[in-house]
Amino acid sequence: EVQLVESGGGLVRPGRSLRLSCAGSGFTFGDYAMSWFRQAPGRGPEWVGFVRSEAYGGTTEYAASAKGRFTISRDDSKSVAYLQMNSLKTEDTAVYYCTRCHYYTWKNSAGVDVWGRGATVTVSS
Amino acid sequence: DIQMTQSPSSLSASVGDRVTITCQASQDISFSLNWYQQKPGKAPKLLIYDASNLAAGVPSRFSGGGSGTVFTFTIRSLQPEDTATYYCQHYDGLPLTFGGGTKVEIE
């Protein structure tokens, strides 16, 4: 069974940092791009960014709201993706989801097929 | 950025009814569209990919259609377990964006 499990969420003060992890199982992790989404309370999902597979350089793309503060990385030897979040703001409060993606080079985009259960991040003083 | 406009924002229908949701993209996205179902406190679940392909394990009463800028999502015979919020999402370039969601309730 394909599974993604996020961890590392919690309560953090504004301006601090937090790192989320996403452990994949049931598939060849290194074959896929991995993307992060978030969903603030009462709102729809929002794309945060993704990391391409090593076959495509393992490079990253970010939403404007994440660029410069968030960093996505991966360790295929451990089947884990990471979301490093720095200089957190109250508006970053959300459930953060890790997803498995198919990367489409011709349109520089990623189609999501599997979602994790999510990790809750609360930014508050 | 590509804007995804979804309608209606909510609907109420009876068990067995046919329900249709529309999603309009602000520019041509070909067939690069997913439909998701999300129940309270749960992650979104992929139902339809490439505008009209049913994801694995998804009941056949769900279907999708359209291309370019106008897309539809249909539940052929609404069931009580279909109570949820449904989202469209494009993947024709970046950033990936979602429609505003449609909350489906049973009358």
CSV table of all heavy atoms in Angstrom, one decimal, chain A residues 35 37 39 43-47 50 52 61 63 97 104 107-118, chain B residues 31-32 34 36 38 41-46 49-50 87 89-100:
chain,number,residue,atom,x,y,z
A,35,SER,N,5.6,16.8,-3.4
A,35,SER,CA,5.2,18.2,-3.3
A,35,SER,C,4.5,18.4,-1.9
A,35,SER,O,4.1,17.4,-1.3
A,35,SER,CB,4.1,18.5,-4.3
A,35,SER,OG,3.7,19.8,-4.4
A,37,PHE,N,1.7,20.8,0.2
A,37,PHE,CA,0.5,21.7,0.2
A,37,PHE,C,0.2,22.0,1.6
A,37,PHE,O,0.6,21.4,2.5
A,37,PHE,CB,-0.7,21.0,-0.5
A,37,PHE,CG,-0.6,20.7,-1.9
A,37,PHE,CD1,0.1,19.6,-2.4
A,37,PHE,CD2,-1.2,21.5,-2.9
A,37,PHE,CE1,0.3,19.3,-3.7
A,37,PHE,CE2,-1.1,21.2,-4.2
A,37,PHE,CZ,-0.4,20.1,-4.6
A,39,GLN,N,-3.2,23.8,4.1
A,39,GLN,CA,-4.6,24.2,4.2
A,39,GLN,C,-4.9,24.9,5.5
A,39,GLN,O,-4.9,24.3,6.6
A,39,GLN,CB,-5.5,23.0,4.0
A,39,GLN,CG,-7.0,23.3,3.9
A,39,GLN,CD,-7.8,22.1,3.4
A,39,GLN,OE1,-7.4,21.0,3.6
A,39,GLN,NE2,-8.9,22.3,2.8
A,43,ARG,N,-10.2,27.1,4.9
A,43,ARG,CA,-9.8,27.5,3.6
A,43,ARG,C,-9.5,26.3,2.7
A,43,ARG,O,-9.5,25.1,3.2
A,43,ARG,CB,-8.5,28.3,3.6
A,43,ARG,CG,-8.5,29.5,4.6
A,43,ARG,CD,-9.1,30.8,4.1
A,43,ARG,NE,-8.6,31.2,2.8
A,43,ARG,CZ,-7.7,32.2,2.6
A,43,ARG,NH1,-7.2,32.8,3.7
A,43,ARG,NH2,-7.4,32.5,1.4
A,44,GLY,N,-9.4,26.5,1.4
A,44,GLY,CA,-9.0,25.4,0.5
A,44,GLY,C,-7.5,25.1,0.5
A,44,GLY,O,-6.8,25.9,1.1
A,45,PRO,N,-7.1,24.1,-0.1
A,45,PRO,CA,-5.7,23.7,-0.2
A,45,PRO,C,-4.9,24.8,-1.0
A,45,PRO,O,-5.5,25.4,-1.9
A,45,PRO,CB,-5.7,22.4,-0.9
A,45,PRO,CG,-7.1,21.8,-0.8
A,45,PRO,CD,-8.0,23.0,-0.8
A,46,GLU,N,-3.6,24.9,-0.6
A,46,GLU,CA,-2.7,25.8,-1.3
A,46,GLU,C,-1.4,25.1,-1.6
A,46,GLU,O,-0.9,24.5,-0.7
A,46,GLU,CB,-2.5,27.0,-0.4
A,46,GLU,CG,-1.5,28.0,-1.0
A,46,GLU,CD,-1.1,29.1,0.0
A,46,GLU,OE1,-1.3,28.9,1.2
A,46,GLU,OE2,-0.5,30.1,-0.4
A,47,TRP,N,-0.9,25.2,-2.8
A,47,TRP,CA,0.4,24.6,-3.1
A,47,TRP,C,1.5,25.4,-2.5
A,47,TRP,O,1.5,26.6,-2.5
A,47,TRP,CB,0.5,24.5,-4.6
A,47,TRP,CG,1.8,24.0,-5.1
A,47,TRP,CD1,2.3,22.7,-4.9
A,47,TRP,CD2,2.8,24.7,-5.8
A,47,TRP,NE1,3.6,22.7,-5.5
A,47,TRP,CE2,3.9,23.9,-6.1
A,47,TRP,CE3,2.9,26.1,-6.3
A,47,TRP,CZ2,5.1,24.3,-6.7
A,47,TRP,CZ3,4.1,26.5,-6.9
A,47,TRP,CH2,5.1,25.6,-7.2
A,50,PHE,N,7.5,22.0,-4.7
A,50,PHE,CA,7.8,20.6,-4.9
A,50,PHE,C,9.3,20.4,-5.2
A,50,PHE,O,10.0,21.4,-5.5
A,50,PHE,CB,6.9,19.9,-6.0
A,50,PHE,CG,7.2,20.3,-7.4
A,50,PHE,CD1,8.3,19.8,-8.1
A,50,PHE,CD2,6.4,21.2,-8.1
A,50,PHE,CE1,8.5,20.1,-9.4
A,50,PHE,CE2,6.6,21.5,-9.4
A,50,PHE,CZ,7.7,21.0,-10.1
A,52,ARG,N,11.8,17.9,-7.5
A,52,ARG,CA,11.8,16.9,-8.6
A,52,ARG,C,12.6,15.7,-8.1
A,52,ARG,O,13.4,15.8,-7.2
A,52,ARG,CB,12.4,17.5,-9.8
A,52,ARG,CG,11.7,18.7,-10.4
A,52,ARG,CD,12.4,19.3,-11.6
A,52,ARG,NE,11.7,20.5,-12.2
A,52,ARG,CZ,11.8,21.7,-11.7
A,52,ARG,NH1,12.5,22.0,-10.7
A,52,ARG,NH2,11.1,22.7,-12.3
A,61,GLU,N,10.8,23.9,-6.8
A,61,GLU,CA,9.9,25.1,-7.2
A,61,GLU,C,9.1,25.4,-6.0
A,61,GLU,O,8.7,24.6,-5.3
A,61,GLU,CB,9.0,24.7,-8.4
A,61,GLU,CG,9.8,24.2,-9.7
A,61,GLU,CD,10.4,25.3,-10.5
A,61,GLU,OE1,10.2,26.5,-10.1
A,61,GLU,OE2,11.1,25.0,-11.5
A,63,ALA,N,5.8,28.2,-4.4
A,63,ALA,CA,4.8,29.2,-4.5
A,63,ALA,C,5.4,30.5,-4.0
A,63,ALA,O,6.4,30.6,-3.2
A,63,ALA,CB,3.6,28.9,-3.7
A,97,TYR,N,0.4,19.1,4.1
A,97,TYR,CA,0.3,17.8,3.5
A,97,TYR,C,1.4,17.5,2.5
A,97,TYR,O,1.8,18.4,1.7
A,97,TYR,CB,-1.0,17.7,2.6
A,97,TYR,CG,-2.3,17.8,3.4
A,97,TYR,CD1,-3.1,18.9,3.4
A,97,TYR,CD2,-2.8,16.7,4.1
A,97,TYR,CE1,-4.3,19.0,4.1
A,97,TYR,CE2,-4.0,16.7,4.8
A,97,TYR,CZ,-4.7,17.9,4.8
A,97,TYR,OH,-5.9,18.0,5.5
A,104,TYR,N,5.9,16.5,-15.0
A,104,TYR,CA,5.8,16.6,-16.4
A,104,TYR,C,6.7,17.7,-16.9
A,104,TYR,O,6.5,18.9,-16.7
A,104,TYR,CB,4.3,17.0,-16.7
A,104,TYR,CG,3.3,16.0,-16.2
A,104,TYR,CD1,2.4,16.3,-15.2
A,104,TYR,CD2,3.2,14.7,-16.7
A,104,TYR,CE1,1.5,15.4,-14.7
A,104,TYR,CE2,2.3,13.8,-16.2
A,104,TYR,CZ,1.5,14.2,-15.2
A,104,TYR,OH,0.5,13.3,-14.7
A,107,LYS,N,5.6,20.6,-19.4
A,107,LYS,CA,4.8,21.8,-18.9
A,107,LYS,C,5.3,22.2,-17.5
A,107,LYS,O,4.7,23.1,-16.9
A,107,LYS,CB,3.3,21.5,-18.8
A,107,LYS,CG,2.9,20.2,-18.1
A,107,LYS,CD,1.4,19.9,-18.3
A,107,LYS,CE,1.1,18.6,-17.7
A,107,LYS,NZ,-0.3,18.2,-18.0
A,108,ASN,N,6.5,21.7,-17.2
A,108,ASN,CA,7.1,22.0,-15.9
A,108,ASN,C,6.0,22.1,-14.8
A,108,ASN,O,5.8,23.1,-14.1
A,108,ASN,CB,7.8,23.4,-15.9
A,108,ASN,CG,8.6,23.7,-14.7
A,108,ASN,OD1,9.1,22.7,-14.0
A,108,ASN,ND2,8.7,24.9,-14.3
A,109,SER,N,5.4,20.9,-14.6
A,109,SER,CA,4.3,20.9,-13.6
A,109,SER,C,4.3,19.5,-13.0
A,109,SER,O,5.0,18.6,-13.4
A,109,SER,CB,3.0,21.3,-14.2
A,109,SER,OG,2.0,21.5,-13.2
A,110,ALA,N,3.4,19.3,-12.0
A,110,ALA,CA,3.4,18.0,-11.3
A,110,ALA,C,2.0,17.7,-11.0
A,110,ALA,O,1.2,18.5,-10.5
A,110,ALA,CB,4.2,18.2,-10.0
A,111,GLY,N,1.6,16.4,-11.4
A,111,GLY,CA,0.3,15.9,-11.1
A,111,GLY,C,0.3,15.0,-9.8
A,111,GLY,O,1.1,14.1,-9.7
A,112,VAL,N,-0.6,15.4,-8.9
A,112,VAL,CA,-0.6,14.7,-7.6
A,112,VAL,C,-1.5,13.5,-7.7
A,112,VAL,O,-2.5,13.5,-8.3
A,112,VAL,CB,-1.2,15.7,-6.5
A,112,VAL,CG1,-1.3,15.0,-5.2
A,112,VAL,CG2,-0.3,16.9,-6.4
A,113,ASP,N,-1.0,12.4,-7.0
A,113,ASP,CA,-1.9,11.3,-6.9
A,113,ASP,C,-2.2,10.8,-5.5
A,113,ASP,O,-3.2,10.2,-5.2
A,113,ASP,CB,-1.5,10.1,-7.9
A,113,ASP,CG,-0.2,9.5,-7.5
A,113,ASP,OD1,0.5,10.1,-6.6
A,113,ASP,OD2,0.2,8.6,-8.2
A,114,VAL,N,-1.2,10.9,-4.6
A,114,VAL,CA,-1.4,10.4,-3.3
A,114,VAL,C,-1.1,11.5,-2.3
A,114,VAL,O,-0.1,12.2,-2.4
A,114,VAL,CB,-0.4,9.2,-3.0
A,114,VAL,CG1,-0.6,8.7,-1.6
A,114,VAL,CG2,-0.7,8.1,-4.0
A,115,TRP,N,-1.9,11.6,-1.2
A,115,TRP,CA,-1.7,12.6,-0.2
A,115,TRP,C,-1.4,11.9,1.2
A,115,TRP,O,-2.0,10.8,1.4
A,115,TRP,CB,-3.0,13.4,0.0
A,115,TRP,CG,-3.3,14.3,-1.1
A,115,TRP,CD1,-3.6,14.0,-2.4
A,115,TRP,CD2,-3.4,15.8,-1.1
A,115,TRP,NE1,-3.9,15.1,-3.2
A,115,TRP,CE2,-3.8,16.2,-2.4
A,115,TRP,CE3,-3.2,16.7,-0.1
A,115,TRP,CZ2,-3.9,17.5,-2.7
A,115,TRP,CZ3,-3.4,18.1,-0.4
A,115,TRP,CH2,-3.7,18.5,-1.7
A,116,GLY,N,-0.6,12.5,2.0
A,116,GLY,CA,-0.5,12.1,3.4
A,116,GLY,C,-1.6,12.5,4.2
A,116,GLY,O,-2.5,13.3,3.7
A,117,ARG,N,-1.6,12.2,5.5
A,117,ARG,CA,-2.7,12.6,6.4
A,117,ARG,C,-2.6,14.0,6.9
A,117,ARG,O,-3.5,14.6,7.4
A,117,ARG,CB,-2.8,11.6,7.5
A,117,ARG,CG,-3.2,10.2,7.2
A,117,ARG,CD,-3.4,9.3,8.4
A,117,ARG,NE,-3.9,8.0,8.0
A,117,ARG,CZ,-4.2,7.1,8.9
A,117,ARG,NH1,-4.0,7.3,10.2
A,117,ARG,NH2,-4.6,5.9,8.5
A,118,GLY,N,-1.4,14.5,6.8
A,118,GLY,CA,-1.2,15.9,7.2
A,118,GLY,C,-0.5,16.1,8.6
A,118,GLY,O,-0.6,15.2,9.4
B,31,PHE,N,-6.1,19.1,-20.7
B,31,PHE,CA,-6.7,18.1,-19.9
B,31,PHE,C,-6.1,18.1,-18.5
B,31,PHE,O,-6.4,17.1,-17.7
B,31,PHE,CB,-6.7,16.7,-20.5
B,31,PHE,CG,-7.4,16.7,-21.8
B,31,PHE,CD1,-6.7,16.9,-23.0
B,31,PHE,CD2,-8.8,16.4,-21.9
B,31,PHE,CE1,-7.4,16.8,-24.2
B,31,PHE,CE2,-9.4,16.3,-23.1
B,31,PHE,CZ,-8.7,16.5,-24.3
B,32,SER,N,-5.3,19.0,-18.1
B,32,SER,CA,-4.5,19.0,-16.9
B,32,SER,C,-5.3,19.4,-15.7
B,32,SER,O,-5.0,20.4,-15.0
B,32,SER,CB,-3.2,19.8,-17.1
B,32,SER,OG,-2.5,19.5,-18.2
B,34,ASN,N,-7.3,17.9,-12.0
B,34,ASN,CA,-7.7,16.9,-11.0
B,34,ASN,C,-8.9,17.3,-10.3
B,34,ASN,O,-9.2,18.5,-10.2
B,34,ASN,CB,-6.6,16.7,-9.9
B,34,ASN,CG,-5.4,15.9,-10.4
B,34,ASN,OD1,-5.4,15.2,-11.4
B,34,ASN,ND2,-4.3,16.0,-9.6
B,36,TYR,N,-10.8,16.4,-6.5
B,36,TYR,CA,-10.6,15.8,-5.2
B,36,TYR,C,-11.9,15.9,-4.4
B,36,TYR,O,-12.7,16.8,-4.6
B,36,TYR,CB,-9.5,16.6,-4.4
B,36,TYR,CG,-8.2,16.6,-5.0
B,36,TYR,CD1,-7.8,17.7,-5.7
B,36,TYR,CD2,-7.3,15.6,-4.9
B,36,TYR,CE1,-6.5,17.8,-6.3
B,36,TYR,CE2,-6.0,15.6,-5.5
B,36,TYR,CZ,-5.6,16.8,-6.2
B,36,TYR,OH,-4.4,16.8,-6.7
B,38,GLN,N,-12.9,16.0,-0.3
B,38,GLN,CA,-12.3,16.1,1.0
B,38,GLN,C,-13.4,16.1,2.1
B,38,GLN,O,-14.3,16.9,2.0
B,38,GLN,CB,-11.5,17.4,1.2
B,38,GLN,CG,-10.8,17.5,2.5
B,38,GLN,CD,-9.9,18.8,2.6
B,38,GLN,OE1,-10.2,19.8,2.0
B,38,GLN,NE2,-8.8,18.6,3.3
B,41,GLY,N,-11.7,17.1,8.4
B,41,GLY,CA,-10.6,16.5,9.2
B,41,GLY,C,-9.7,15.5,8.4
B,41,GLY,O,-8.8,14.9,9.0
B,42,LYS,N,-10.0,15.3,7.1
B,42,LYS,CA,-9.2,14.4,6.3
B,42,LYS,C,-8.5,15.1,5.2
B,42,LYS,O,-8.8,16.2,4.8
B,42,LYS,CB,-10.2,13.3,5.7
B,42,LYS,CG,-11.0,12.6,6.7
B,42,LYS,CD,-10.1,11.7,7.6
B,42,LYS,CE,-10.9,10.8,8.5
B,42,LYS,NZ,-10.0,9.9,9.4
B,43,ALA,N,-7.5,14.4,4.6
B,43,ALA,CA,-6.8,14.9,3.5
B,43,ALA,C,-7.6,14.8,2.2
B,43,ALA,O,-8.5,13.9,2.1
B,43,ALA,CB,-5.5,14.1,3.3
B,44,PRO,N,-7.4,15.6,1.3
B,44,PRO,CA,-8.1,15.5,0.0
B,44,PRO,C,-7.7,14.1,-0.6
B,44,PRO,O,-6.7,13.6,-0.4
B,44,PRO,CB,-7.5,16.6,-0.9
B,44,PRO,CG,-7.0,17.6,0.1
B,44,PRO,CD,-6.5,16.8,1.3
B,45,LYS,N,-8.7,13.6,-1.4
B,45,LYS,CA,-8.6,12.3,-2.0
B,45,LYS,C,-8.8,12.4,-3.5
B,45,LYS,O,-9.8,13.0,-3.9
B,45,LYS,CB,-9.6,11.3,-1.5
B,45,LYS,CG,-9.6,9.9,-2.2
B,45,LYS,CD,-10.8,9.1,-1.7
B,45,LYS,CE,-10.9,7.8,-2.5
B,45,LYS,NZ,-12.1,7.0,-2.1
B,46,LEU,N,-7.8,12.0,-4.3
B,46,LEU,CA,-7.9,12.1,-5.7
B,46,LEU,C,-9.0,11.2,-6.3
B,46,LEU,O,-9.0,10.0,-6.0
B,46,LEU,CB,-6.6,11.7,-6.4
B,46,LEU,CG,-6.5,11.8,-7.9
B,46,LEU,CD1,-6.7,13.3,-8.4
B,46,LEU,CD2,-5.3,11.2,-8.5
B,49,TYR,N,-8.3,12.3,-12.6
B,49,TYR,CA,-7.1,12.9,-13.1
B,49,TYR,C,-7.2,13.1,-14.6
B,49,TYR,O,-8.0,12.4,-15.2
B,49,TYR,CB,-5.8,12.2,-12.6
B,49,TYR,CG,-5.7,10.8,-13.2
B,49,TYR,CD1,-5.0,10.6,-14.4
B,49,TYR,CD2,-6.4,9.7,-12.6
B,49,TYR,CE1,-4.9,9.3,-15.0
B,49,TYR,CE2,-6.3,8.4,-13.2
B,49,TYR,CZ,-5.5,8.2,-14.3
B,49,TYR,OH,-5.4,7.0,-14.9
B,50,ASP,N,-6.4,14.0,-15.1
B,50,ASP,CA,-6.4,14.2,-16.6
B,50,ASP,C,-7.8,14.5,-17.0
B,50,ASP,O,-8.3,14.1,-18.1
B,50,ASP,CB,-5.8,13.0,-17.4
B,50,ASP,CG,-4.3,12.9,-17.2
B,50,ASP,OD1,-3.7,13.9,-16.7
B,50,ASP,OD2,-3.8,11.9,-17.6
B,87,TYR,N,-13.0,19.7,-4.8
B,87,TYR,CA,-12.1,20.7,-5.4
B,87,TYR,C,-11.6,20.3,-6.7
B,87,TYR,O,-11.2,19.1,-6.9
B,87,TYR,CB,-10.9,21.0,-4.5
B,87,TYR,CG,-11.2,21.6,-3.1
B,87,TYR,CD1,-11.3,20.7,-2.0
B,87,TYR,CD2,-11.3,22.9,-2.9
B,87,TYR,CE1,-11.5,21.3,-0.7
B,87,TYR,CE2,-11.5,23.5,-1.7
B,87,TYR,CZ,-11.6,22.6,-0.6
B,87,TYR,OH,-11.8,23.2,0.6
B,89,GLN,N,-8.4,21.2,-9.4
B,89,GLN,CA,-7.0,21.7,-9.3
B,89,GLN,C,-6.3,21.5,-10.6
B,89,GLN,O,-6.3,20.4,-11.2
B,89,GLN,CB,-6.3,21.0,-8.2
B,89,GLN,CG,-4.8,21.4,-8.1
B,89,GLN,CD,-3.8,20.3,-8.3
B,89,GLN,OE1,-4.0,19.1,-7.9
B,89,GLN,NE2,-2.8,20.5,-9.1
B,90,HIS,N,-5.7,22.5,-11.2
B,90,HIS,CA,-5.0,22.4,-12.5
B,90,HIS,C,-3.5,22.0,-12.2
B,90,HIS,O,-2.9,22.3,-11.2
B,90,HIS,CB,-5.1,23.6,-13.3
B,90,HIS,CG,-4.0,24.6,-13.0
B,90,HIS,ND1,-2.7,24.5,-13.6
B,90,HIS,CD2,-3.9,25.7,-12.2
B,90,HIS,CE1,-2.0,25.5,-13.2
B,90,HIS,NE2,-2.6,26.2,-12.3
B,91,TYR,N,-2.9,21.4,-13.2
B,91,TYR,CA,-1.5,21.2,-13.2
B,91,TYR,C,-0.9,21.4,-14.6
B,91,TYR,O,0.0,20.7,-15.1
B,91,TYR,CB,-1.1,19.8,-12.7
B,91,TYR,CG,-1.9,18.6,-13.3
B,91,TYR,CD1,-1.4,17.9,-14.3
B,91,TYR,CD2,-3.1,18.3,-12.7
B,91,TYR,CE1,-2.1,16.8,-14.8
B,91,TYR,CE2,-3.9,17.2,-13.2
B,91,TYR,CZ,-3.4,16.5,-14.3
B,91,TYR,OH,-4.1,15.4,-14.8
B,92,ASP,N,-1.3,22.5,-15.2
B,92,ASP,CA,-0.7,23.0,-16.4
B,92,ASP,C,0.2,24.1,-16.2
B,92,ASP,O,-0.1,25.3,-16.3
B,92,ASP,CB,-1.8,23.4,-17.4
B,92,ASP,CG,-1.3,23.7,-18.8
B,92,ASP,OD1,-0.8,22.7,-19.5
B,92,ASP,OD2,-1.3,24.8,-19.2
B,93,GLY,N,1.4,23.8,-15.7
B,93,GLY,CA,2.4,24.8,-15.3
B,93,GLY,C,2.3,25.1,-13.8
B,93,GLY,O,1.5,24.5,-13.1
B,94,LEU,N,3.0,26.1,-13.4
B,94,LEU,CA,3.1,26.6,-12.0
B,94,LEU,C,2.6,28.0,-11.8
B,94,LEU,O,2.9,28.8,-12.8
B,94,LEU,CB,4.5,26.4,-11.5
B,94,LEU,CG,5.1,25.0,-11.5
B,94,LEU,CD1,6.5,25.0,-11.1
B,94,LEU,CD2,4.3,24.0,-10.6
B,95,PRO,N,2.1,28.4,-10.7
B,95,PRO,CA,1.8,27.6,-9.6
B,95,PRO,C,0.6,26.7,-9.8
B,95,PRO,O,-0.3,27.0,-10.5
B,95,PRO,CB,1.5,28.6,-8.4
B,95,PRO,CG,0.9,29.8,-9.2
B,95,PRO,CD,1.7,29.8,-10.5
B,96,LEU,N,0.5,25.6,-9.0
B,96,LEU,CA,-0.7,24.7,-9.0
B,96,LEU,C,-1.7,25.5,-8.2
B,96,LEU,O,-1.5,26.0,-7.1
B,96,LEU,CB,-0.4,23.4,-8.3
B,96,LEU,CG,0.8,22.6,-8.8
B,96,LEU,CD1,1.0,21.3,-8.0
B,96,LEU,CD2,0.7,22.3,-10.3
B,97,THR,N,-2.9,25.6,-8.8
B,97,THR,CA,-4.0,26.3,-8.1
B,97,THR,C,-5.3,25.5,-8.1
B,97,THR,O,-5.5,24.7,-8.9
B,97,THR,CB,-4.3,27.7,-8.7
B,97,THR,OG1,-4.6,27.5,-10.1
B,97,THR,CG2,-3.0,28.6,-8.5
B,98,PHE,N,-6.1,25.8,-7.1
B,98,PHE,CA,-7.4,25.1,-6.8
B,98,PHE,C,-8.6,26.0,-7.1
B,98,PHE,O,-8.5,27.2,-6.9
B,98,PHE,CB,-7.5,24.6,-5.3
B,98,PHE,CG,-6.5,23.6,-5.0
B,98,PHE,CD1,-5.2,23.8,-4.7
B,98,PHE,CD2,-6.9,22.2,-4.9
B,98,PHE,CE1,-4.3,22.8,-4.4
B,98,PHE,CE2,-6.0,21.2,-4.5
B,98,PHE,CZ,-4.7,21.5,-4.3
B,99,GLY,N,-9.7,25.4,-7.4
B,99,GLY,CA,-11.0,26.1,-7.3
B,99,GLY,C,-11.4,26.3,-5.9
B,99,GLY,O,-10.7,25.8,-4.9
B,100,GLY,N,-12.4,27.1,-5.7
B,100,GLY,CA,-12.8,27.5,-4.3
B,100,GLY,C,-13.5,26.4,-3.5
B,100,GLY,O,-13.8,26.6,-2.4
